[in-house]
Each structure stands twice: as structure tokens, then as C-alpha cells.
Amino acid sequence: MTPAAPSMVFVIDDDELVRAAIQGMLKSVGLRSETFETAQEFLRSNRPDGPSCLVLDVRLPGINGLDFQRKLAEAGIRIPIIFITGHADIPMTVKAMKSGAVEFLTKPFRDQDLLDAIHQALDRDQGMRQEQSELSGLRKRYESLTPREREVMGLVVSGMLNKQIGFELGTSEVTVKIQRGHVMRKMQSESLAELVRMAAKLGVPPGKK
């Protein structure tokens, strides 16, 4: 297995003193970080593939933080965001949080409040990455099934018995039992309940390929 990349905190703020202060604070608690003056610099950077989060100033040159949050989502870049601003208002905060922001902090904020939000964001990103990894593995296992095995799997998770599946597919109960065994082995499932959960995660409709 490839060693997991260490966590990284990205900071985008046009104020050099703010960037330096946040980076120094993160270094003091053992967190790696990279800072950027603009959103465009962040997009042009080569970011490591590991758990990460973004500390984002709301008011940036060229594009504001809320618009950048939307653009990241549209581009499929899923990264937890912590907003920081010196000019917060309630509608702005509500919009950011509804769009998935982890926290919205008004300057000056306590270092501990930012650290708490960062740890929460990194945990969220780690969880999302774990889910994506598991789903990718499930898809690969499902793709290893033959078309008939996928049919059998769909009928099995719909709750049909081997005899009923055989009737549905025009084959013998023994053949269905063998194919069902292949499905369980290839999907690495130890029970029907587990197979049903796998089918749900994959979006496999019961009774269909």
C-alpha cells in the first residue's frame, strides 16, 4: 500500500501578516500548510493528494470567497472550507454554511477556535476520502462480475430465493446457487445483508443489471 499523504492546510488571504500568523500557529502544533495571496494562485498550485482543508478569506482580489466556494464545487474540487473575514454579516455567514463551510470566523479570532475548525475540517476530509476509496473498491469488484452474475446479484438483493431467481432467468436452481456463490466471493460479501448494503452504495436497482 502507498503511505497516506500527511494532512495539509491551505490558507488564502491577501494580507501577508495574516498568512504568516496562521502559518506560524499551524507550524507550532505540527500541521503542514501552504499559503496563497489569491484564489488563482491556489488553483495553479500542485496540491498533494491527502487530507486537506482550506482557510479562506471572504474578501479576496479578483473573486470573493463565497464565489470561489461555488466555483470549487462546480469544478468537483471537494475540500472543506473555513471562512475568515473582518467584515462578516449574518446573510453571508448563512450562505457560506448552507454551501457546506465548516466554520465562519470573524477577525480577530482565537487561535484555538481556528485550530478546532481545522481539525474538524481535516477529519471531515479524511472521512470523505475513506468513503470514496471504499466506493471505488466496490465498483471494481462489481465490474468483475459477469453480466449474468450482475443479474443474479440484482435479484438476490431484491429478496428472491434461488428457486425464484432460476424461474426468472430460465435456469436451474443449482446454477443460480453457483452464480450466487460467485457473486458473494467476487464482491467479498459474507452475508446477504452486507450484499444489500453494497448494492445500495453502488446504486444497483434490485432485480436489474
Side-chain angles (χ1 to χ4, degrees):
M1 292 179 62
T2 304
S7 299
M8 175 70 75
V9 181
F10 301 107
V11 181
I12 307 178
D13 195 303
D14 61 345
D15 188 324
E16 184 178 356
L17 292 177
V18 171
R19 295 198 304 271
I22 293 176
Q23 190 164 40
M25 183 267 292
L26 293 173
K27 185 177 181 180
S28 73
V29 296
L31 283 172
R32 297 170 70 243
S33 64
E34 288 185 20
T35 65
F36 307 90
E37 184 176 358
T38 66
Q40 289 75 16
E41 285 182 8
F42 171 76
L43 289 175
R44 289 194 297 266
S45 68
N46 292 319
R47 299 179 296 279
D49 185 23
S52 61
C53 69
L54 179 59
V55 178
L56 179 62
D57 189 14
V58 172
R59 300 184 186 278
L60 292 169
I63 183 173
N64 72 53
L66 294 177
D67 288 341
F68 188 54
Q69 179 188 35
R70 178 175 51 80
K71 287 185 177 295
L72 288 175
E74 290 173 351
I77 300 175
R78 301 175 62 194
I79 180 170
I81 297 175
I82 299 153
F83 281 105
I84 57 175
T85 183
H87 312 280
D89 58 55
I90 292 175
M92 184 188 293
T93 305
V94 170
K95 183 177 180 181
M97 300 303 284
K98 280 188 173 181
S99 297
V102 174
E103 187 58 274
F104 200 109
L105 300 173
T106 304
K107 302 173 184 176
F109 45 77
R110 295 190 315 128
D111 286 354
Q112 191 59 52
D113 289 340
L114 179 57
L115 277 175
D116 289 346
I118 286 171
H119 284 302
Q120 181 183 344
L122 291 174
D123 286 345
R124 179 188 293 187
D125 196 49
Q126 178 65 40
M128 287 192 298
R129 288 171 179 274
Q130 182 66 29
E131 286 180 12
Q132 287 299 312
S133 175
E134 290 174 0
L135 185 57
S136 177
L138 270 181
R139 286 199 183 107
K140 286 182 181 178
R141 299 203 290 271
Y142 184 71
E143 288 166 4
S144 74
L145 302 180
T146 66
R148 175 47 64 92
E149 286 167 353
R150 292 181 192 179
E151 280 187 295
V152 169
M153 177 174 167
L155 294 169
V156 166
V157 299
S158 72
M160 294 177 67
L161 302 173
N162 291 347
K163 184 176 181 179
Q164 295 169 316
I165 295 173
F167 180 79
E168 179 75 19
L169 299 179
T171 187
S172 72
E173 185 177 350
V174 173
T175 299
V176 171
K177 185 176 181 180
I178 292 171
Q179 291 167 336
R180 181 171 179 160
H182 290 167
V183 169
M184 298 295 282
R185 177 176 55 79
K186 290 183 179 180
M187 293 301 296
Q188 299 175 23
S189 174
E190 297 183 356
S191 68
L192 174 57
E194 186 178 8
L195 191 67
V196 170
R197 286 194 292 271
M198 289 177 175
K201 287 183 179 180
L202 290 167
V204 176
K208 297 181 180 180
K209 294 183 182 180

